[in-house]
Amino acid sequence: LGVPTIKIQPTENGYIKEKPLKDYFLTYKKELLVAGCLLFALILAIAIGVGVTYSCVGKFRCGTSSKCIRNSAQCDGVTDCDHGEDEFKCVRLSGKNSVLQIYSGGSWKTVCSEDWRDAFGSTACRQLGYTKYVNSSSLPLSSIEQDFQKDLVSINLNLPVGHTFKIHNATHVSRTQCISGKVTSLKCLECGSRPQFSTRIVGGNESSEGQFPWQVSLHFQREHLCGGSIITTQWILTAAHCVYGFASPSFWVVYVGIIDQPVPGVSSHAVLKIFYHWKYKPKALDYDIALMKLKTPLNFNGLVEPICLPNYGEEFEDGELCWISGWGATEDGGEASMSMNYARVPLISNKVCSQPTVYQGYITPRMICAGYLEGGTDSCQGDSGGPLACEDASVWKLVGATSWGQGCAERNKPGVYTRISQCLDWIHEQMEREEALHPTTFSNGT
């Protein structure tokens, strides 16, 4: 494999240093052998003492615990897991048209548009972790992807003013066809636009104001360490390896709307909480995703804007040209850039990226590759956590977060990014849980 490295900028104070993945892989076999022996002994002891083995196969696992419940008990309005995990992740937006689906009776169901009310839309947006609701619209059933046409449901609950509920617990009727012939599309956030960027600016690779208004700089103890992306007024998405072992919010500040480093005189934003995926393992860099919740909401002004998350089941084609940006080094092992740079790179299928000459054995479904197999253009150290952004019908979507690669811009070693569409459940669960614990003032509109 060579020497793959996480794309994080080392700091001079010695608290965080870039570590080649080769160091992990060389010790991995030894650790695996020892761990395997210990695990076998533990399993044997449990099997002898208890006389049974317990499996979650075909069931819903309650978070990181060993407790399992039947799938039909998930999203049924009754909390069965100790921390309520079974009543989160019950709403999702699917396909290119953001079709609303709810989880009920053990399967995902597309919501028909008849009897639909704005109150339902507000509730669904809150369950997705958003603090605003923009609008709902109706789409012909035949215009959406076939995978979402099969299992349908109508919601027809009459609610008193001020009544709170969860959309998946509302009264609903399962259907094989929508009476209206239409389904519901939902929009919770105005995102993915660049209102202050002039597309007439061409040439060079240094970013201009408003070109990537969702890009942020994450400073660890007063130094730029990683990038990130704005996804709502209070949430920043970045890579887990940026914060792993250093997840104390007091270590970090976030700078938004800037294109140059350092940033004297520019106000920073304090971090309230940091979450990284519970399945993240630094030796494999799978599930390399984290969220930062800011102490105070951002003001969107054209130079600071959120990027849209992709929807469930939304596909981005091999060869599609997307954009990477950040303050990373301009050459492998170099210093961080003082100006934000950007580059256009094509997406590479996991099949190609898993070939023996590329990254055989290390690409998982939670990863997506982008770059040129001939080399020359890539993200680098200091770009970690930053966006891989793709434009679709003038709307920008966060397809990936910069994760790792072998060196920078080497032949047959493209950049590897966390595939955001594979992490949506986790993202919305963190946002929904925080919204449930600390509700904000909810509003309609943008």
Side-chain angles (χ1 to χ4, degrees), residues 57-333:
V57 175
K59 297 182 179 180
F60 176 82
R61 182 186 293 276
C62 295
T64 58
S65 73
S66 59
K67 184 176 181 180
C68 304
I69 63 172
R70 67 189 188 281
N71 284 331
S72 59
Q74 186 185 0
C75 303
D76 65 351
V78 178
T79 300
D80 297 295
C81 295
D82 294 339
H83 301 290
E85 297 93 330
D86 55 310
E87 294 303 311
F88 291 106
K89 300 181 293 186
C90 301
V91 175
R92 72 185 187 189
L93 301 181
S94 297
K96 286 190 174 295
N97 292 309
S98 301
V99 172
L100 177 63
Q101 292 190 299
I102 63 171
Y103 193 85
S104 178
S107 67
W108 284 99
K109 296 175 170 58
T110 301
V111 176
C112 296
S113 64
E114 57 261 20
D115 299 317
W116 183 256
R117 298 170 56 182
D118 280 340
F120 299 161
S122 297
T123 295
C125 285
R126 187 183 288 278
Q127 285 186 245
L128 288 166
Y130 294 105
T131 58
K132 292 184 179 180
Y133 160 67
V134 179
N135 59 49
S136 304
S137 58
S138 299
L139 298 173
L141 181 63
S142 59
S143 69
I144 67 173
E145 293 89 338
Q146 287 190 349
D147 287 348
F148 310 132
Q149 296 181 19
K150 301 172 184 176
D151 205 354
L152 307 169
V153 65
S154 292
I155 298 175
N156 54 9
L157 177 66
N158 290 319
L159 295 171
V161 176
H163 183 76
T164 59
F165 69 104
K166 288 193 172 184
I167 192 72
H168 65 279
N169 292 335
T171 302
H172 54 262
V173 179
S174 295
R175 300 187 181 280
T176 56
Q177 288 291 328
C178 296
I179 296 174
S180 63
K182 296 182 178 181
V183 295
T184 301
S185 175
L186 187 64
K187 187 174 186 178
C188 301
L189 180 72
E190 293 288 1
C191 57
S193 65
R194 307 188 297 179
Q196 293 295 323
F197 176 65
S198 172
T199 56
R200 292 190 297 272
I201 299 174
V202 295
N205 62 352
E206 289 189 4
S207 299
S208 303
E209 281 193 330
Q211 187 172 7
F212 302 105
W214 42 81
Q215 171 85 54
V216 306
S217 172
L218 305 181
H219 280 224
F220 175 82
Q221 297 192 335
R222 296 177 297 279
E223 294 182 33
H224 169 81
L225 188 69
C226 284
S229 301
I230 300 168
I231 58 172
T232 76
T233 55
Q234 260 189 292
W235 289 97
I236 307 297
L237 188 150
T238 187
H241 75 254
C242 290
V243 301
Y244 185 76
F246 299 90
S248 172
S250 61
F251 290 155
W252 299 88
V253 295
V254 178
Y255 288 93
V256 303
I258 65 169
I259 56 175
D260 294 320
Q261 303 271 0
V263 286
V266 178
S267 60
S268 62
H269 295 266
V271 178
L272 179 64
K273 294 182 180 180
I274 297 176
F275 306 86
Y276 58 83
H277 202 293
W278 64 277
K279 287 187 178 181
Y280 170 72
K281 297 293 186 292
K283 292 177 182 177
L285 286 176
D286 202 6
Y287 297 95
D288 189 14
I289 188 169
L291 288 171
M292 289 183 171
K293 185 179 183 182
L294 302 178
K295 282 189 177 180
T296 56
L298 299 172
N299 292 318
F300 297 151
N301 58 13
L303 299 180
V304 177
E305 295 287 338
I307 188 170
C308 297
L309 292 173
N311 296 322
Y312 173 81
E314 191 167 7
E315 299 293 337
F316 297 90
E317 299 297 326
D318 182 24
E320 181 175 348
L321 290 172
C322 301
W323 299 83
I324 52 177
S325 54
W327 292 270
T330 55
E331 61 181 8
D332 191 18

Side-chain angles (χ1 to χ4, degrees), residues 246-440:
F246 299 90
S248 172
S250 61
F251 290 155
W252 299 88
V253 295
V254 178
Y255 288 93
V256 303
I258 65 169
I259 56 175
D260 294 320
Q261 303 271 0
V263 286
V266 178
S267 60
S268 62
H269 295 266
V271 178
L272 179 64
K273 294 182 180 180
I274 297 176
F275 306 86
Y276 58 83
H277 202 293
W278 64 277
K279 287 187 178 181
Y280 170 72
K281 297 293 186 292
K283 292 177 182 177
L285 286 176
D286 202 6
Y287 297 95
D288 189 14
I289 188 169
L291 288 171
M292 289 183 171
K293 185 179 183 182
L294 302 178
K295 282 189 177 180
T296 56
L298 299 172
N299 292 318
F300 297 151
N301 58 13
L303 299 180
V304 177
E305 295 287 338
I307 188 170
C308 297
L309 292 173
N311 296 322
Y312 173 81
E314 191 167 7
E315 299 293 337
F316 297 90
E317 299 297 326
D318 182 24
E320 181 175 348
L321 290 172
C322 301
W323 299 83
I324 52 177
S325 54
W327 292 270
T330 55
E331 61 181 8
D332 191 18
E335 297 293 325
S337 173
M338 293 296 99
S339 298
M340 188 200 302
N341 292 306
Y342 67 92
R344 189 169 67 167
V345 291
L347 301 182
I348 300 173
S349 70
N350 280 22
K351 180 179 179 181
V352 171
C353 207
S354 297
Q355 290 179 351
T357 56
V358 191
Y359 292 127
Q360 183 180 23
Y362 295 105
I363 303 301
T364 75
R366 274 75 55 187
M367 300 175 186
I368 185 170
C369 299
Y372 298 90
L373 294 181
E374 62 269 26
T377 303
D378 194 9
S379 52
C380 204
Q381 290 86 27
D383 289 323
S384 279
L388 171 66
C390 303
E391 187 180 18
D392 180 24
S394 299
V395 175
W396 289 83
K397 296 192 176 181
L398 186 64
V399 174
T402 306
S403 184
W404 62 276
Q406 179 174 319
C408 303
E410 293 186 11
R411 182 178 178 83
N412 283 329
K413 303 301 175 189
V416 184
Y417 303 79
T418 304
R419 189 185 291 265
I420 304 303
S421 61
Q422 289 291 316
C423 301
L424 292 171
D425 278 353
W426 180 83
I427 294 169
H428 287 296
E429 180 181 3
Q430 312 318 306
M431 291 167 56
E432 180 184 0
R433 189 186 300 275
E434 278 297 296
E435 181 60 27
L437 290 172
H438 309 287
T440 56

